[in-house]
Amino acid sequence: MNSRTYLDHSATTPLDPRVLDAMGPFLGGSFGNPSSLHYEGRVARAAVETARAQVAKLIGAEADEIIFTASGTEADNLALIGAIRASGKPGHLVTTAIEHAAILQACKFLAAGGTRVTHLSCDADGLIRPEALLRALQSNVTLVSIMAANNVVGTIQPLEELAHLTKLNGALFHTDAVQAGGKIPLDVNNLRVDLLSLSAHKLHGPKGIGALYVRKGVHLSPIVFGGGQERGLRSATENVAGTVGFGAAAEIARKEMTNEATRLTQLREHIAAELKRLFPNSYLFGHPTQRLPGHLSFGFRGLEGELGKLLTALDEAGIAVSAGSACSAHHAGEPSAVPLAMGYDAQSARGLIRVSLGRFNTQQEIARFLEILATIVKKLHEVAERKAAPQSMLEADPTFV
């Protein structure tokens, strides 16, 4: 097999070697518990606090506004469940129909306990319109949760306007920024968000470590109980190596984001242009320009039912892409809920292919991907045409004798 080309960075990213170097000492000799008062503990505590400041700087926050969690999913759960519980009543939560499962399932849990949950619809590009949120805010709302960028189609939401409307109506605003963090500029003060979720493994950091930004003055109830770490909001001995890795990844992303976003956007637009040139039957999902730099979701009319074969053929050729969210892979064959919410029919939604680029992808890899994709799609079209062609004149014209 040829060397593999990884084009599924929205699922997870390869660890940057510089991040691994930063983590190295805390995977071996520096093994102290940050809660211990001796030297080894103090070394670990200092490393955790350095990482906290690095993650905070990525989003324009203060270090003491960052709570480390075990994942972006846990950060989302802490934000939603923690905010509703801290309010002291079931409350009213407004979210969208295109959120990640971490949000939707947390909403389902809260709804079972009496919380009123409103799901906003999106337009054909995957955008949440401010007027839709404004209508929902006419009733008493406790919390609004709208993702920064969609994990399936890459559309970036108008967070600043959405958060502004929310604050005018006296509710808290949370955003799941797991896909957006480290890829596009996010400043919590400019955006005026109260809560923001991040995950290290989406920005070339390690798996098993996430973070929740909690604006000063915002109160949450914990969902994990124990020793009182992370200001009592996330009890458990800290994952020091993972936290250090998150800090290093955040620092690299902050410094390199502008140039990297330009490079990835150019690669993405090259793929989009080639799709249009090579495949007249191709179609794109998501906003044409207001999307993550390295994210492109598309399909091929007439081949939606062959998606599994297409992805398998690419994988066998050494190219990793996906059919949407990795978290929904166990529902393979079912149309993604996101394009359905955008108004696509089930057949078109079932044909979604997601290509998401990252720091180490090259122009040569993209050229090879497009070449292999063209060969596979041509073969699949030939097979589809043979299946559709009549096998005899009698089949073509039943009146023929």
Side-chain angles (χ1 to χ4, degrees), residues 235-376:
S235 293
T237 299
E238 295 90 341
N239 173 4
V240 180
T243 302
V244 168
F246 196 173
E251 184 73 2
I252 293 167
R254 184 181 65 81
K255 291 179 178 178
E256 300 181 0
M257 187 189 307
T258 300
N259 290 338
E260 183 66 359
T262 299
R263 187 183 75 87
L264 292 181
T265 299
Q266 290 172 347
L267 289 178
R268 182 198 76 199
E269 290 305 295
H270 174 65
I271 295 173
E274 287 297 283
L275 286 173
K276 185 176 181 180
R277 183 180 72 85
L278 295 170
F279 312 107
N281 64 323
S282 64
Y283 55 98
L284 298 181
F285 296 89
H287 196 279
T289 58
Q290 199 167 312
R291 62 167 63 239
L292 291 171
H295 192 120
L296 196 67
S297 291
F298 57 92
F300 298 104
R301 289 188 183 86
L303 292 182
E304 290 91 349
E306 306 298 325
L307 181 62
K309 293 178 182 178
L310 194 158
L311 295 181
T312 298
L314 284 171
D315 189 38
E316 290 174 348
I319 296 173
V321 300
S322 74
S325 172
C327 299
S328 300
H330 54 288
H331 296 303
E334 298 179 15
S336 169
V338 172
L340 289 177
M342 293 164 61
Y344 286 86
D345 59 70
Q347 181 176 341
S348 298
R350 192 174 287 111
L352 185 145
I353 301 163
R354 183 181 71 180
V355 169
S356 44
L357 313 175
R359 184 172 296 156
F360 305 114
N361 286 135
T362 64
Q363 291 182 342
Q364 291 76 17
E365 286 181 317
I366 300 309
R368 177 172 174 268
F369 160 65
L370 288 167
E371 181 181 354
I372 292 172
L373 180 66
T375 300
I376 294 170

Side-chain angles (χ1 to χ4, degrees), residues 33-381:
N33 185 323
S35 295
S36 298
L37 298 180
H38 48 58
Y39 172 78
E40 288 80 3
R42 295 197 303 274
V43 169
R45 172 54 58 194
V48 167
E49 295 312 315
T50 295
R52 197 184 307 278
Q54 290 171 318
V55 172
K57 199 170 183 179
L58 176 66
I59 58 172
E62 298 296 325
D64 60 0
E65 294 177 308
I66 299 298
I67 304 297
F68 286 116
T69 63
S71 63
T73 293
E74 186 186 334
D76 283 342
N77 276 253
L78 176 57
L80 270 59
I81 299 171
I84 293 296
R85 285 180 174 173
S87 74
K89 52 189 176 184
H92 180 193
L93 195 160
V94 174
T95 187
T96 82
I98 58 171
E99 297 296 313
H100 188 275
I103 295 295
L104 296 177
Q105 291 300 315
C107 288
K108 186 176 180 180
F109 170 81
L110 287 166
T115 300
R116 178 186 172 192
V117 178
T118 298
H119 294 87
L120 303 178
S121 59
C122 64
D123 67 13
D125 291 327
L127 283 173
I128 305 301
R129 294 296 181 182
E131 54 267 27
L133 174 59
L134 190 57
R135 285 193 296 271
L137 288 167
Q138 298 312 302
S139 57
N140 190 29
V141 175
T142 310
L143 173 68
V144 173
S145 180
I146 299 177
M147 64 189 351
N150 188 263
N151 54 307
V152 176
V153 299
T155 297
I156 298 170
Q157 299 297 341
L159 282 187
E160 186 171 356
E161 187 173 1
L162 296 171
H164 178 63
L165 289 174
T166 300
K167 302 310 295 176
L168 286 177
N169 285 271
L172 295 175
F173 190 92
H174 164 257
T175 185
D176 175 351
V178 165
Q179 286 294 335
K183 299 173 187 175
I184 60 174
L186 294 171
D187 186 294
V188 293
N189 294 305
N190 290 340
L191 294 174
R192 289 176 282 193
V193 301
D194 299 294
L195 300 156
L196 181 149
S197 303
L198 295 169
S199 182
H201 79 102
K202 303 293 189 179
L203 49 105
H204 297 282
K207 299 177 183 65
I209 182 72
L212 178 66
Y213 158 77
V214 183
R215 182 178 293 280
K216 284 185 176 70
V218 172
H219 299 291
L220 300 179
S221 292
I223 59 173
V224 176
F225 301 89
Q229 291 89 345
E230 297 299 302
R231 289 172 30 205
L233 289 177
R234 208 285 171 176
S235 293
T237 299
E238 295 90 341
N239 173 4
V240 180
T243 302
V244 168
F246 196 173
E251 184 73 2
I252 293 167
R254 184 181 65 81
K255 291 179 178 178
E256 300 181 0
M257 187 189 307
T258 300
N259 290 338
E260 183 66 359
T262 299
R263 187 183 75 87
L264 292 181
T265 299
Q266 290 172 347
L267 289 178
R268 182 198 76 199
E269 290 305 295
H270 174 65
I271 295 173
E274 287 297 283
L275 286 173
K276 185 176 181 180
R277 183 180 72 85
L278 295 170
F279 312 107
N281 64 323
S282 64
Y283 55 98
L284 298 181
F285 296 89
H287 196 279
T289 58
Q290 199 167 312
R291 62 167 63 239
L292 291 171
H295 192 120
L296 196 67
S297 291
F298 57 92
F300 298 104
R301 289 188 183 86
L303 292 182
E304 290 91 349
E306 306 298 325
L307 181 62
K309 293 178 182 178
L310 194 158
L311 295 181
T312 298
L314 284 171
D315 189 38
E316 290 174 348
I319 296 173
V321 300
S322 74
S325 172
C327 299
S328 300
H330 54 288
H331 296 303
E334 298 179 15
S336 169
V338 172
L340 289 177
M342 293 164 61
Y344 286 86
D345 59 70
Q347 181 176 341
S348 298
R350 192 174 287 111
L352 185 145
I353 301 163
R354 183 181 71 180
V355 169
S356 44
L357 313 175
R359 184 172 296 156
F360 305 114
N361 286 135
T362 64
Q363 291 182 342
Q364 291 76 17
E365 286 181 317
I366 300 309
R368 177 172 174 268
F369 160 65
L370 288 167
E371 181 181 354
I372 292 172
L373 180 66
T375 300
I376 294 170
V377 170
K378 181 182 178 182
K379 289 180 179 178
L380 288 174
H381 269 303

